[in-house]
Amino acid sequence: MLFGICCLAGCEGSKHHLKKVRLNEVAHSIFYAPQYVAIEKGYFEKEGIKLELTTGFGADKTATAVISGDADIAFMGPEATIYQFNEGNADYLINFAQLTQRAGNFVVSRNKEEDFQWENLKGKKVIGGRPGGMPEMVFEYVLKKHGMNPQKDIDLVQNIDFANTSGAFISGKADYTIEFEPSATLIEEQGAGYVVASVGKESGYVPYTAYSVKKSYLKSHKELLEAFTRAIEKGQQYVNTHTPKEVAKVIAPQFKDTDRKTIEKIVKRYAEQDSYKENTKFEKESFVLIQDILEEAGELEKRVEYETLVTTEFSEKY
């Protein structure tokens, strides 16, 4: 049990004895800076883990990758774990660590709007997200807060794949688009649009992204998941104790097509709105809130107990 001894001792794992972990992330975004810090600073290797990262481009695809056995850990909005549980999946997904605590997407306008009001979206064509996905539901949650009916008051476009929304906006298909970083800032830098509002600032604290595994994997890989959680928490601690410039320098290799100054600007934007959680503990109130949002969006078949789909056994050790 070299892996278990090494990890629990927190020592540097020999590269010959690293345990492979296949992580499928919902998107590749600077929004997830703590995860990329953990990769680039070697925190996973120090915990005895050889991480293989792939991008699913959508929580539905990421969840499917783990359920089918093509990946070990899913990193996505926890709403996907609720959906697959309610579908009757016996080996259902359980959330074991949370990364971000606000929505990470922004409203990008075709025009510069110094004094943007959410009501400006009325009657306009807006590229949104996949129905039932966390980005779209939180966006609709904000619209409702401002007295709008998402299906009636705006012309909502939801048939564009997640990876292609910014390109569709640049080509002129809508008045507004809801984008993650770095897409939002890159649209600005191309002069094709302007970031006018933060969905995350407006929605408040939401358990936006979390790590989950199949119930069977959780049962048989506890030491590994404890080591994985420890690496993520080290990434969180780094991001919360270093400047955006320092963080940008560390994660730059993950975003080779993005200028270092742009990365710094995006990290600063997320840090200022308190997107980065200080630890991985997925609180009960957060799980209740996400089900409130699902219910309001008409996407919740039935509520699920917190204890069924969330464990904090690894987070509470730190």
Side-chain angles (χ1 to χ4, degrees), residues 65-81:
V66 175
I67 290 168
S68 67
D70 290 334
D72 302 311
I73 299 177
F75 174 58
M76 60 187 180
E79 79 285 351
T81 65

Side-chain angles (χ1 to χ4, degrees), residues 165-201:
T165 55
S166 62
F169 176 77
I170 289 169
S171 69
K173 293 198 185 306
D175 303 299
Y176 296 88
T177 184
I178 311 303
E179 295 291 334
F180 278 91
E181 296 288 15
S183 297
T185 294
L186 292 176
I187 289 172
E188 271 193 328
E189 291 181 348
Q190 290 179 54
Y194 303 87
V195 175
V196 294
S198 161
V199 177
K201 239 182 217 179

Side-chain angles (χ1 to χ4, degrees), residues 30-39 43 99-100 211 231-232 234-237 239-240 247 251 276-277:
I30 295 161
F31 184 37
Y32 312 135
Q35 173 178 284
Y36 305 127
V37 166
I39 292 171
Y43 296 155
L99 190 78
T100 56
Y211 297 93
I232 291 294
K234 286 177 184 175
Q236 289 175 317
Q237 288 162 12
V239 168
N240 281 294
V247 174
I251 69 173
Y276 301 125
K277 205 169 184 294

Side-chain angles (χ1 to χ4, degrees), residues 57-174:
F57 297 106
D60 52 340
K61 297 180 181 71
T62 293
T64 298
V66 175
I67 290 168
S68 67
D70 290 334
D72 302 311
I73 299 177
F75 174 58
M76 60 187 180
E79 79 285 351
T81 65
I82 297 170
Y83 294 152
Q84 54 83 46
F85 178 82
N86 279 337
E87 285 166 4
N89 181 15
D91 198 7
Y92 52 84
L93 300 178
I94 297 175
N95 300 286
F96 68 90
Q98 184 182 332
L99 190 78
T100 56
Q101 60 186 5
R102 283 190 188 272
N105 44 0
F106 299 86
V107 180
V108 181
S109 171
R110 180 81 51 203
N111 305 304
K112 199 166 189 176
E113 300 180 49
E114 299 290 357
D115 186 29
F116 173 81
Q117 304 295 319
W118 286 88
E119 291 72 19
N120 294 3
L121 299 176
K122 272 193 175 180
K124 297 297 194 319
K125 187 176 253 191
V126 181
I127 297 175
R130 179 178 58 83
M134 200 63 186
E136 178 60 25
M137 287 188 297
V138 176
F139 172 54
E140 292 186 13
Y141 176 74
V142 171
L143 291 175
K144 288 171 186 172
K145 270 178 65 177
H146 288 270
M148 284 181 276
N149 182 319
Q151 276 67 47
K152 292 181 180 177
D153 293 333
I154 65 174
D155 182 3
L156 194 55
V157 180
Q158 295 184 282
N159 61 352
I160 299 173
D161 191 69
F162 179 85
N164 299 320
T165 55
S166 62
F169 176 77
I170 289 169
S171 69
K173 293 198 185 306

Side-chain angles (χ1 to χ4, degrees), residues 240-253:
N240 281 294
T241 55
H242 289 75
T243 65
K245 186 174 183 178
E246 290 169 321
V247 174
K249 183 180 179 182
V250 172
I251 69 173

